[in-house]
Amino acid sequence: MTDGKPAMQPFGHRATFAIEVGGLPAYLVEAGQTQVSEFRVVDLWAGGKQLTCHDNTAYTPTLVHHMRSAAELVRRRQIPRCPFPWRSPAEIFRLLHANESEFRERFWLLSNWDEILDNVETYTWLDDLLVIACRIRRPSRSEIFVARVPPDEFVATLDEAAHLLAT
């Protein structure tokens, strides 16, 4: 424990992609919950930025399902290639975001994680690395940033975190 908070179990690397799993959410602890719960604190990091800055309480059965599904897609390399290879990741993000057709949905690898990423928009594609373009919606300023992670490292991070959350 540090500063009265339970330690987070890290998987991956914050600079690329990481998942940190903690214990019970504060509201359950404050309510006297001491038994195992299907809710856990889960923080996600991409490109050195914390994505779960608004809400990090996860319902573990649902999140584990989405983690395993995403890991399997990346493991099989069933992630689309870069849609506009001549553009920067920020431009690609903006082009995909502006596209209201089903085309952009092919790049929504993390879209089902909205339980803990409800203020984050992401588009993901595969080059030599897995590229995750993100924007955290903030009232004053929302910047687009990019995480690049080796696909096998991404899969290992998801597999390890999902295993812990499922036990």
Side-chain angles (χ1 to χ4, degrees), residues 22-25 27-28 33 35-42 57-64 115 165-167:
L24 295 174
Y27 73 90
L28 288 178
Q33 176 81 27
Q35 299 175 349
V36 175
S37 170
E38 291 184 326
F39 290 95
R40 299 281 294 273
V41 172
V42 178
T57 300
Y59 179 65
T60 56
T62 302
L63 184 59
V64 166
E115 174 181 0
L165 286 167
T167 56

Short mmCIF file of all heavy atoms in Angstrom, two decimals, residues 22-25 27-28 33 35-42 57-64 115 165-167:
data_model
loop_
_atom_site.label_atom_id
_atom_site.label_comp_id
_atom_site.label_asym_id
_atom_site.label_seq_id
_atom_site.Cartn_x
_atom_site.Cartn_y
_atom_site.Cartn_z
N GLY A 22 -6.12 -2.94 -9.86
CA GLY A 22 -6.12 -2.72 -8.42
C GLY A 22 -7.22 -3.54 -7.76
O GLY A 22 -7.77 -4.47 -8.33
N GLY A 23 -7.55 -3.13 -6.58
CA GLY A 23 -8.55 -3.84 -5.79
C GLY A 23 -9.94 -3.29 -6.00
O GLY A 23 -10.31 -2.86 -7.09
N LEU A 24 -10.70 -3.29 -4.94
CA LEU A 24 -12.08 -2.82 -5.00
C LEU A 24 -12.13 -1.31 -5.21
O LEU A 24 -11.28 -0.59 -4.70
CB LEU A 24 -12.81 -3.16 -3.70
CG LEU A 24 -13.01 -4.63 -3.39
CD1 LEU A 24 -13.62 -4.79 -2.00
CD2 LEU A 24 -13.88 -5.30 -4.44
N PRO A 25 -13.11 -0.83 -5.95
CA PRO A 25 -13.27 0.61 -6.11
C PRO A 25 -13.54 1.28 -4.76
O PRO A 25 -14.11 0.66 -3.85
CB PRO A 25 -14.49 0.74 -7.02
CG PRO A 25 -14.64 -0.59 -7.67
CD PRO A 25 -14.08 -1.60 -6.71
N TYR A 27 -15.69 3.40 -3.72
CA TYR A 27 -17.07 3.47 -3.23
C TYR A 27 -17.50 2.17 -2.56
O TYR A 27 -18.31 2.19 -1.63
CB TYR A 27 -18.05 3.88 -4.34
CG TYR A 27 -18.33 2.81 -5.38
CD1 TYR A 27 -19.37 1.92 -5.21
CD2 TYR A 27 -17.55 2.71 -6.52
CE1 TYR A 27 -19.63 0.94 -6.15
CE2 TYR A 27 -17.80 1.75 -7.48
CZ TYR A 27 -18.84 0.87 -7.29
OH TYR A 27 -19.09 -0.09 -8.23
N LEU A 28 -16.95 1.03 -2.98
CA LEU A 28 -17.28 -0.24 -2.32
C LEU A 28 -16.57 -0.35 -0.98
O LEU A 28 -17.14 -0.81 0.00
CB LEU A 28 -16.91 -1.43 -3.21
CG LEU A 28 -17.80 -1.66 -4.42
CD1 LEU A 28 -17.28 -2.84 -5.24
CD2 LEU A 28 -19.23 -1.91 -4.01
N GLN A 33 -17.57 -2.88 1.91
CA GLN A 33 -17.38 -4.10 1.12
C GLN A 33 -15.97 -4.64 1.36
O GLN A 33 -14.99 -3.94 1.19
CB GLN A 33 -17.55 -3.80 -0.37
CG GLN A 33 -17.29 -4.97 -1.29
CD GLN A 33 -18.47 -5.91 -1.38
OE1 GLN A 33 -19.61 -5.50 -1.21
NE2 GLN A 33 -18.20 -7.16 -1.64
N GLN A 35 -15.52 -8.26 0.70
CA GLN A 35 -15.50 -9.55 0.00
C GLN A 35 -15.16 -9.34 -1.48
O GLN A 35 -15.16 -8.23 -1.99
CB GLN A 35 -16.85 -10.24 0.13
CG GLN A 35 -17.21 -10.52 1.57
CD GLN A 35 -18.61 -11.09 1.68
OE1 GLN A 35 -19.37 -11.08 0.74
NE2 GLN A 35 -18.94 -11.60 2.86
N VAL A 36 -14.94 -10.45 -2.13
CA VAL A 36 -14.65 -10.41 -3.56
C VAL A 36 -15.82 -9.78 -4.29
O VAL A 36 -16.98 -10.04 -3.99
CB VAL A 36 -14.38 -11.84 -4.08
CG1 VAL A 36 -14.20 -11.84 -5.58
CG2 VAL A 36 -13.17 -12.43 -3.39
N SER A 37 -15.51 -8.95 -5.25
CA SER A 37 -16.53 -8.27 -6.04
C SER A 37 -16.18 -8.42 -7.51
O SER A 37 -15.03 -8.66 -7.87
CB SER A 37 -16.56 -6.79 -5.67
OG SER A 37 -17.37 -6.07 -6.57
N GLU A 38 -17.17 -8.28 -8.36
CA GLU A 38 -16.92 -8.31 -9.79
C GLU A 38 -16.52 -6.93 -10.31
O GLU A 38 -16.37 -6.74 -11.51
CB GLU A 38 -18.14 -8.85 -10.54
CG GLU A 38 -18.35 -10.33 -10.24
CD GLU A 38 -19.49 -10.93 -11.03
OE1 GLU A 38 -20.49 -10.24 -11.29
OE2 GLU A 38 -19.37 -12.12 -11.38
N PHE A 39 -16.34 -5.98 -9.41
CA PHE A 39 -15.87 -4.65 -9.78
C PHE A 39 -14.44 -4.49 -9.29
O PHE A 39 -14.12 -4.86 -8.16
CB PHE A 39 -16.76 -3.56 -9.17
CG PHE A 39 -18.12 -3.51 -9.79
CD1 PHE A 39 -19.18 -4.19 -9.22
CD2 PHE A 39 -18.34 -2.78 -10.95
CE1 PHE A 39 -20.44 -4.15 -9.78
CE2 PHE A 39 -19.60 -2.74 -11.52
CZ PHE A 39 -20.65 -3.42 -10.94
N ARG A 40 -13.59 -3.94 -10.15
CA ARG A 40 -12.19 -3.69 -9.79
C ARG A 40 -11.76 -2.35 -10.38
O ARG A 40 -12.34 -1.86 -11.34
CB ARG A 40 -11.28 -4.78 -10.39
CG ARG A 40 -11.54 -6.20 -9.92
CD ARG A 40 -10.98 -6.52 -8.55
NE ARG A 40 -9.54 -6.52 -8.47
CZ ARG A 40 -8.76 -7.56 -8.74
NH1 ARG A 40 -9.27 -8.71 -9.12
NH2 ARG A 40 -7.46 -7.46 -8.61
N VAL A 41 -10.71 -1.82 -9.80
CA VAL A 41 -10.08 -0.62 -10.34
C VAL A 41 -9.13 -1.08 -11.45
O VAL A 41 -8.29 -1.95 -11.23
CB VAL A 41 -9.31 0.13 -9.24
CG1 VAL A 41 -8.49 1.26 -9.84
CG2 VAL A 41 -10.27 0.66 -8.19
N VAL A 42 -9.29 -0.50 -12.65
CA VAL A 42 -8.43 -0.84 -13.78
C VAL A 42 -8.03 0.46 -14.47
O VAL A 42 -8.89 1.23 -14.91
CB VAL A 42 -9.15 -1.76 -14.79
CG1 VAL A 42 -8.26 -2.07 -15.98
CG2 VAL A 42 -9.60 -3.05 -14.11
N THR A 57 -13.48 2.26 -12.85
CA THR A 57 -14.18 1.15 -12.23
C THR A 57 -14.70 0.23 -13.32
O THR A 57 -15.50 0.64 -14.17
CB THR A 57 -15.35 1.64 -11.36
OG1 THR A 57 -14.84 2.49 -10.34
CG2 THR A 57 -16.08 0.47 -10.73
N ALA A 58 -14.23 -1.01 -13.31
CA ALA A 58 -14.59 -1.96 -14.35
C ALA A 58 -15.42 -3.10 -13.78
O ALA A 58 -15.12 -3.62 -12.70
CB ALA A 58 -13.32 -2.53 -14.98
N TYR A 59 -16.42 -3.49 -14.54
CA TYR A 59 -17.17 -4.71 -14.26
C TYR A 59 -16.37 -5.82 -14.94
O TYR A 59 -16.32 -5.91 -16.17
CB TYR A 59 -18.59 -4.61 -14.81
CG TYR A 59 -19.42 -5.84 -14.59
CD1 TYR A 59 -19.76 -6.25 -13.30
CD2 TYR A 59 -19.85 -6.61 -15.66
CE1 TYR A 59 -20.52 -7.40 -13.09
CE2 TYR A 59 -20.62 -7.76 -15.46
CZ TYR A 59 -20.94 -8.14 -14.17
OH TYR A 59 -21.69 -9.27 -13.97
N THR A 60 -15.70 -6.63 -14.15
CA THR A 60 -14.68 -7.52 -14.69
C THR A 60 -15.17 -8.57 -15.69
O THR A 60 -14.45 -8.82 -16.67
CB THR A 60 -13.87 -8.18 -13.56
OG1 THR A 60 -14.75 -8.87 -12.68
CG2 THR A 60 -13.07 -7.16 -12.80
N PRO A 61 -16.33 -9.20 -15.54
CA PRO A 61 -16.72 -10.18 -16.56
C PRO A 61 -16.80 -9.57 -17.97
O PRO A 61 -16.33 -10.17 -18.94
CB PRO A 61 -18.09 -10.67 -16.09
CG PRO A 61 -18.06 -10.47 -14.60
CD PRO A 61 -17.29 -9.19 -14.41
N THR A 62 -17.35 -8.39 -18.07
CA THR A 62 -17.46 -7.73 -19.38
C THR A 62 -16.10 -7.31 -19.89
O THR A 62 -15.76 -7.54 -21.06
CB THR A 62 -18.40 -6.51 -19.28
OG1 THR A 62 -19.68 -6.95 -18.81
CG2 THR A 62 -18.55 -5.82 -20.62
N LEU A 63 -15.30 -6.68 -19.05
CA LEU A 63 -13.99 -6.21 -19.48
C LEU A 63 -13.09 -7.37 -19.89
O LEU A 63 -12.39 -7.29 -20.92
CB LEU A 63 -13.31 -5.37 -18.39
CG LEU A 63 -11.97 -4.76 -18.79
CD1 LEU A 63 -12.11 -3.85 -20.00
CD2 LEU A 63 -11.36 -4.01 -17.61
N VAL A 64 -13.10 -8.45 -19.15
CA VAL A 64 -12.29 -9.63 -19.50
C VAL A 64 -12.71 -10.16 -20.87
O VAL A 64 -11.84 -10.49 -21.69
CB VAL A 64 -12.39 -10.72 -18.41
CG1 VAL A 64 -11.85 -12.05 -18.90
CG2 VAL A 64 -11.66 -10.27 -17.15
N GLU A 115 -16.85 1.35 -20.79
CA GLU A 115 -17.11 1.35 -19.35
C GLU A 115 -16.01 2.12 -18.60
O GLU A 115 -16.29 2.86 -17.68
CB GLU A 115 -17.18 -0.09 -18.87
CG GLU A 115 -17.31 -0.28 -17.40
CD GLU A 115 -17.34 -1.74 -17.03
OE1 GLU A 115 -17.27 -2.61 -17.90
OE2 GLU A 115 -17.43 -2.01 -15.82
N LEU A 165 -7.77 -10.65 -13.76
CA LEU A 165 -9.13 -10.17 -13.51
C LEU A 165 -10.15 -11.31 -13.45
O LEU A 165 -11.17 -11.19 -12.78
CB LEU A 165 -9.55 -9.16 -14.59
CG LEU A 165 -8.89 -7.79 -14.47
CD1 LEU A 165 -9.12 -6.99 -15.75
CD2 LEU A 165 -9.44 -7.03 -13.27
N ALA A 166 -9.87 -12.39 -14.17
CA ALA A 166 -10.82 -13.50 -14.21
C ALA A 166 -10.67 -14.43 -13.01
O ALA A 166 -11.54 -15.29 -12.80
CB ALA A 166 -10.62 -14.31 -15.50
N THR A 167 -9.61 -14.28 -12.23
CA THR A 167 -9.40 -15.18 -11.08
C THR A 167 -9.91 -14.57 -9.80
O THR A 167 -10.15 -13.41 -9.68
CB THR A 167 -7.91 -15.54 -10.92
OG1 THR A 167 -7.14 -14.34 -10.79
CG2 THR A 167 -7.46 -16.35 -12.09
#
